[in-house]
Amino acid sequence: MTARKHARAQGKDRGTGLRSVAGQVFALEALIALLVIAVAAFVVFHQERRDTERDARIRSLAVAEGFAHAPGIDAALTSPDPTAELQSRAEATRKATGVDFIAVLSPSGVRYTDSQPELIGQKATGDLSRAAVQGEAYTELFRGAPNDAVRAVVPVVDDKGRIVGLVSSGIEVESIAHSVQDRLPLLIGAAGGALAAAVGGAALVSRRLRRQTHGLGPAEMTRMKEHHEAVLHAVREGVLIVGADHRLLLANDEARRLLGLSAEAEARHVSELGLDPRTVELLESGRSATDEVHRAGDRLLAVSVRPTLTHGSESGCVMTMRDTTELAAVTGRAAVARGRLQLLYEAGVRIGTTLEVVRTAEELAEVAVPRFADFATVELLEPVLRGEEPPEGAAAAAEMRRTALSGLRPDQPLQAVGDTVHFDVRNTPMAKALQAGHAVVEPELAAAEGWRAQDPEGAAQALAYGMHSLLTVPLLARGVILGMANFWRADTPEPFGEEDLSFAEELAARAAVAIDNARRFTREHAMAVTLQRSLLPRVLPEQSAVEVAYRYLPAKAGVGGDWFDVIPLPGARVALVVGDVVGHGLHAAATMGRLRTAVHNFSTLDVPPDELLGHLDELTGRIENGDTEGAAGEARRRDEGITGATCLYAIYDPASGLCQVASAGHPGPAFVDPDGRVEFPELSPGLPLGLGLGDVPFESTELRLPEGSKLVLFTDGLLEDHGRDIDTGLGLLRSTLSRTDRTPEQTCADVLATLLSPTQRDDIALLVARTRLLDRDRIAEWEVPRDPSAVSPVRNAAAAKLSEWGLDGLAFTAELILSELITNAVRYGADPVRVRLLHDRTLICEVSDGSSTSPHLRHAATTDEGGRGLYLVAQYAERWGTRYARRGKTIWAELRVGADGSEPVAMVVPDLDALEDLAW
């Protein structure tokens, strides 16, 4: 800051000091003005003095002549006492005329009268002979007693012509001096004002000069002028300075050389200089320009124009120019190189955007046209297209499939996409490139005999079309040939050259890596999809509880672990399951298969959904811990992103219309009533499976579903997508499900049509179940007292119901099973004891009581009185088992509808009443 102030002070001192041109001009002008005004004042002063003296002479002579010629003067002079006659008269005249004295003298010069009375009678000094003798009236500057004065002497002549006296009048020199001094202040004031005006004008001129010279001194101005001349004429850039009237003011040597100007060009109008019309228009337009290219003969000039004044319309301009002719070729080559680098960058961005082999080949062809080639084709080996490992060796690459084609025009003569391309002739450019493993250029296709011999008819068509140059390059990845790329030129006149080989190889190398990545992904994706589809249900089981439709779509970018299932449960119930293993890849698919199997196994326990998820959580933790033991397992888990799983498990009972649902970190289902109203019931979300948080219990939620309502289960891949959050997805799902009179199959189609994205990122599992209710006529229930005698009436009532249902063939078997189950509940169970028969696809016999003790199958000895009850049930029933509720249990048995009810071979069955007395 101090340095800046010092520099500013130096600039100020330089601008105002006498060392600057402006300061010296100011001092010189002030001095000249002072001298001129002093001389003028001196001249005016002396001129004034002379004028005053002249006026004194004239006035003195006029007063003297007037007094001398006054009537009676001559008579008074000849009177005895002239003084008495003339003194008073003379004084009156003196006072009236303003002269200093009037004296009347005798011819000899003796004073008769005088303004000073003491001088009367004395002789006047000075030579009076001119008036007294010669009779001449005159004026003179008298110096002597009594005072110096300008006086006039006039003779007095009587009637006879005699000189009878003299009259002298005048003004003293001291009075003249006083008169001039009275005018001196005005003269001094005028001189001072003139001096001030002159100094002010000099200051204004100096200030303007200081702005124009920036406070420079004469030496600096001279040095600047020399430098200006040296720079202006030595610089390698042409400079033209044009005035506001569009006439040339200055042109340096380089400008004269570039534009061919003559020595007489200055002061001419720019239109007369022989310049290019565009250049003349630019100079006359007054606009600014920067590096505009103008032609001057055979030269190309980069021209810049700026106005000489920043404000005002009447301004000239300065044009600078430099010769760019020699740089044009270099610039062209640099532009080509820059374009190639830009194209390689775009290729890195545009090639490999998807993990699809065909699309990657198409991206390579699209990138090359039109900035490198007019047409581009890509051929790949058949195994590469299938995702398999390519064969090694150039011989195996003699036959390829055309995968991509791109060109400037659609009417091209090349083989279409999908055709098989052969490279049988060894000296074709393609065969040479495959054999050498690097790019080969054929600048003149008309002279390529091998290429023409490979397909004479196709070559003739290509040449007739205009194809004249070819560059072919193999696609190599890890040293193995995947295919090849061919670049053709037809509309571009320049053929491919050696400088294009390195670019083509770099472009092909980048594309080959992307194609190989897509090939490997295709193989792994196919394997994972195959595994996943083999683990998902192929055919849904038969059941009557719900009408089911489903969709499963694997992700395009990688197979995930989504799954679904429909599991029939005892009592005509059904379990609906959807789940999602977090992550992608083969391991996620395998984990999904394990979990699906585990759900099937746990469902045989016939436990509530929350309890089943608890078992599944514990199992998932063991699976994950077992799979990730060691560094390799941890790396695989981290790479594949497996961090647990989610699951939604629902059990629907068509007899009651109740549905129990529990979630382990999975999105809840959508409920659609028969009127189309859509709800998303609030569930206790629970934690995902396998996180080691098994101490946090899962909770079940009970829903009542009217007949004909829909329960929609889905994974989060249906809702989430690029640019769409889960709330938006739920809104779209709600609007789609609200359509009434749609079957589950139609609902699945509607949902996917609305929510499925073209760039699907995750697996999608969708399960739509429309509920049914068992006809009340197919359900029979009885309350059984805790009395053994009550078994027979219930058994008889059941037989009657079976007869009503047309199941007489099952009556004996059903009575046998009911007798065993009811007797056991009466003897060993707790109130309340209930019996229920369900007529569905099977006949289901259920006996419930309030005890949670678990019966078990025994094989009684020959001498035992009891222990054969459950054995008989197991022998006659298709399936049987125990289901536990929050209070009590239910023992159930299923009988196949349509069976004849015959007893097992070699089985002795006692009387049913006697069986009631047997123990388990």
Side-chain angles (χ1 to χ4, degrees):
M1 193 68 184
T2 304
R4 187 181 300 173
K5 291 182 178 180
H6 180 65
R8 190 183 300 117
Q10 285 185 339
K12 184 177 180 180
D13 293 342
R14 184 180 67 180
T16 58
L18 292 179
R19 296 181 58 185
S20 66
V21 172
Q24 293 180 6
V25 169
F26 172 76
L28 181 61
E29 288 184 345
L31 179 60
I32 292 174
L34 179 62
L35 292 177
V36 169
I37 292 173
V39 171
F42 178 78
V43 171
V44 170
F45 177 78
H46 285 278
Q47 182 66 36
E48 185 70 21
R49 186 178 182 86
R50 286 197 300 270
D51 291 344
T52 303
E53 183 178 343
R54 185 177 64 252
D55 290 342
R57 288 176 181 271
I58 294 173
R59 188 167 48 162
S60 298
L61 181 60
V63 171
E65 286 183 342
F67 193 83
H69 296 98
I73 296 299
D74 54 345
L77 285 174
T78 58
S79 68
D81 190 3
T83 299
E85 293 288 337
L86 297 175
Q87 176 64 25
S88 58
R89 189 174 179 180
E91 280 300 308
T93 302
R94 179 184 67 80
K95 292 178 180 181
T97 58
V99 296
D100 290 335
F101 65 89
I102 295 178
V104 179
L105 307 177
S106 64
S108 60
V110 178
R111 292 184 175 85
Y112 293 138
T113 64
D114 198 279
S115 58
Q116 297 180 15
E118 66 271 12
L119 295 179
I120 295 174
Q122 296 181 11
K123 186 176 181 179
T125 59
D127 185 11
L128 303 175
S129 58
R130 293 176 57 190
V133 177
Q134 299 176 9
E136 179 182 354
Y138 65 91
T139 61
E140 65 177 352
L141 178 62
F142 172 77
R143 296 187 180 278
N147 293 305
D148 296 341
V150 174
R151 70 179 180 179
V153 181
V154 177
V156 180
V157 181
D158 59 6
D159 296 336
K160 297 178 180 182
R162 292 179 303 172
I163 297 174
V164 294
L166 302 175
V167 176
S168 174
S169 68
I171 300 173
E172 296 178 356
V173 173
E174 185 177 356
S175 297
I176 295 174
H178 283 306
S179 176
V180 174
Q181 288 176 358
D182 290 342
R183 298 183 182 180
L184 188 59
L186 179 60
L187 178 62
I188 294 175
L195 181 61
V199 172
L204 292 176
V205 172
S206 175
R207 182 179 179 183
R208 181 176 180 84
L209 184 61
R210 182 169 63 252
R211 286 200 304 268
Q212 294 178 346
T213 61
H214 302 285
L216 298 176
E220 293 171 323
M221 293 287 291
T222 302
R223 186 166 58 253
M224 179 180 292
K225 177 67 167 54
E226 294 173 351
H227 290 176
H228 168 264
E229 294 290 339
V231 171
L232 186 63
H233 295 285
V235 71
R236 292 300 304 274
E237 189 170 89
V239 178
L240 288 183
I241 301 179
V242 179
D245 57 354
H246 302 150
R247 294 185 177 276
L248 180 63
L249 300 180
L250 183 145
N252 69 344
D253 297 341
E254 184 68 8
R256 294 179 184 276
R257 183 183 70 84
L258 294 176
L259 299 177
L261 300 178
S262 62
E264 297 79 17
E266 294 183 358
R268 290 185 179 180
H269 197 275
V270 293
S271 60
E272 302 173 358
L273 300 178
L275 304 180
D276 185 78
R278 289 185 62 243
T279 307
V280 174
E281 186 275 331
L282 176 61
L283 291 174
E284 291 180 342
S285 65
R287 63 182 177 88
S288 299
T290 301
D291 289 339
E292 286 190 8
V293 178
H294 289 247
R295 183 173 294 278
D298 58 350
R299 300 177 184 273
L300 293 177
L301 305 181
V303 174
S304 298
V305 177
R306 294 291 184 273
T308 54
L309 298 178
T310 56
H311 303 287
S313 58
E314 297 297 327
S315 171
C317 63
V318 177
M319 183 174 75
T320 60
M321 65 201 78
R322 61 181 184 275
D323 191 357
T324 61
T325 306
E326 298 177 356
L327 298 177
V330 177
T331 303
R333 291 193 295 270
V336 172
R338 184 169 60 252
R340 294 288 172 83
L341 289 176
Q342 180 67 23
L343 185 56
L344 285 177
Y345 168 76
E346 293 182 6
V349 175
R350 294 174 56 185
I351 298 177
T353 58
T354 65
L355 290 173
E356 297 179 6
V357 175
V358 174
R359 180 55 192 156
T360 304
E362 292 173 349
E363 290 170 343
L364 169 59
E366 292 169 358
V367 165
V369 177
R371 295 168 61 181
F372 180 66
D374 298 332
F375 296 89
T377 61
V378 180
E379 293 81 41
L380 297 179
L381 296 171
E382 289 287 353
V384 174
L385 291 171
R386 295 192 299 266
E388 302 172 1
E389 287 290 338
E392 297 185 2
E399 181 178 301
M400 298 183 184
R401 179 77 61 186
R402 177 147 292 172
T403 309
L405 189 154
S406 179
L408 294 176
R409 290 174 284 169
D411 58 334
Q412 44 77 29
L414 303 174
Q415 288 181 259
V417 173
D419 289 355
T420 301
V421 181
H422 300 275
F423 309 111
D424 299 330
V425 181
R426 296 179 58 85
N427 61 343
T428 62
M430 294 80 166
K432 291 179 182 179
L434 292 173
Q435 187 66 33
H438 58 73
V440 172
V441 64
E442 192 66 55
E444 293 294 335
L445 282 177
E449 296 181 358
W451 174 73
R452 299 176 66 179
Q454 176 71 46
D455 182 9
E457 183 179 354
Q461 292 177 0
L463 292 174
Y465 184 81
M467 299 286 187
H468 62 85
S469 185
L470 166 67
L471 193 157
T472 180
V473 55
L475 300 175
L476 299 172
R478 298 175 287 111
V480 180
I481 296 176
L482 305 177
M484 73 180 339
N486 298 306
F487 305 105
W488 312 76
R489 282 185 178 173
D491 296 350
T492 303
E494 294 83 7
F496 288 110
E498 296 296 327
E499 66 276 5
D500 297 316
L501 291 177
S502 58
F503 170 78
E505 290 181 344
E506 178 67 22
L507 182 62
R510 297 191 180 195
V513 172
I515 291 174
D516 190 52
N517 290 338
R519 178 196 63 80
R520 298 169 68 180
F521 172 80
T522 300
R523 181 187 61 185
E524 295 182 1
H525 184 71
M527 293 173 57
V529 169
T530 301
L531 173 62
Q532 189 175 41
R533 290 193 181 278
S534 67
L535 296 175
L536 289 171
R538 299 182 180 179
V539 179
L540 295 181
E542 294 182 358
Q543 45 81 35
S544 302
V546 291
E547 179 187 355
V548 179
Y550 67 91
R551 292 289 188 276
Y552 174 77
L553 297 176
K556 293 184 178 180
V559 174
D562 292 12
W563 89 92
F564 66 94
D565 219 333
V566 178
I567 305 173
L569 296 178
R573 295 170 303 139
V574 65
L576 304 174
V577 190
V578 290
D580 183 5
V581 176
V582 180
H584 294 85
L586 290 174
H587 185 68
T591 303
M592 177 272 292
R594 293 179 180 181
L595 293 180
R596 178 171 177 264
T597 302
V599 170
H600 267 274
N601 292 335
F602 289 137
S603 66
T604 60
L605 299 177
D606 204 1
V607 294
D610 54 345
E611 188 174 340
L612 184 141
L613 291 180
H615 294 307
L616 192 62
D617 179 50
E618 182 181 358
L619 176 64
T620 304
R622 291 202 302 269
I623 292 175
E624 292 298 327
N625 291 333
D627 286 347
T628 57
E629 290 180 357
E634 287 292 344
R636 184 177 70 251
R637 181 185 177 95
R638 180 175 59 255
D639 294 340
E640 296 182 355
I642 300 174
T643 58
T646 64
C647 182
L648 182 70
Y649 190 86
I651 297 177
Y652 174 67
D653 185 357
S656 62
L658 294 179
C659 180
Q660 288 183 305
V661 185
S663 171
H666 198 88
F671 166 65
V672 186
D673 66 10
D675 297 330
R677 183 170 54 89
V678 182
E679 295 181 359
F680 295 95
E682 293 186 5
L683 306 181
S684 177
L687 295 173
L689 304 172
L691 297 183
L693 302 173
D695 56 338
V696 179
F698 298 98
E699 296 182 14
S700 293
T701 301
E702 189 172 272
L703 306 174
R704 182 169 296 276
L705 305 181
E707 184 174 14
S709 58
K710 295 174 187 174
L711 196 64
V712 182
L713 286 70
F714 51 86
T715 56
D716 56 2
L718 180 68
L719 303 180
E720 295 179 342
D721 193 18
H722 293 287
R724 184 178 71 198
D725 56 19
I726 192 168
D727 292 333
T728 304
L730 287 174
L732 292 174
L733 181 61
R734 181 190 297 273
S735 62
T736 305
L737 295 177
S738 62
R739 299 177 62 183
T740 58
D741 299 329
R742 305 294 286 177
T743 65
E745 189 68 28
Q746 292 171 336
T747 300
C748 286
D750 293 343
V751 169
L752 291 185
T754 302
L755 280 83
L756 186 61
S757 170
T759 57
Q760 176 188 340
R761 297 185 305 173
D762 198 2
D763 292 12
I764 294 176
L766 174 64
L767 191 64
V768 179
R770 183 159 61 183
T771 62
R772 299 173 178 146
L773 289 178
L774 284 179
D775 192 346
R776 299 306 302 176
D777 293 339
R778 286 176 171 258
I779 303 174
E781 295 179 290
W782 296 273
E783 188 86 16
V784 182
R786 291 288 304 281
D787 185 354
S789 62
V791 176
S792 180
V794 174
R795 185 184 65 210
N796 295 332
K801 179 58 72 173
L802 291 177
S803 178
E804 180 183 337
W805 289 343
L807 301 176
D808 294 328
L810 294 177
F812 175 79
T813 305
E815 288 183 59
L816 173 62
I817 291 173
L818 286 175
S819 294
E820 293 300 325
L821 297 180
I822 296 172
T823 300
N824 181 71
V826 170
R827 286 184 178 183
Y828 307 108
D831 289 330
V833 178
R834 294 186 178 90
V835 176
R836 186 171 72 164
L837 294 180
L838 300 176
H839 182 195
D840 190 34
R841 294 177 181 270
T842 60
L843 178 63
I844 304 167
C845 304
E846 296 180 348
V847 178
S848 305
D849 68 85
S851 173
S852 297
T853 57
S854 176
H856 57 279
L857 183 64
R858 294 190 301 166
H859 296 278
T862 306
T863 59
D864 289 343
E865 295 183 359
R868 298 179 180 86
L870 283 182
Y871 179 73
L872 291 175
V873 172
Q875 291 295 314
Y876 281 94
E878 286 288 322
R879 296 191 305 162
W880 75 279
T882 304
R883 179 170 71 250
Y884 293 92
R886 297 188 181 277
R887 181 175 180 273
K889 64 181 180 297
T890 299
I891 302 175
W892 55 269
E894 289 185 3
L895 298 176
R896 183 184 303 171
V897 174
D900 56 5
S902 61
E903 300 174 1
V905 179
M907 185 72 179
V908 179
V909 180
D911 182 76
L912 292 179
D913 292 331
L915 286 176
E916 295 174 2
D917 297 330
L918 296 178
W920 289 95

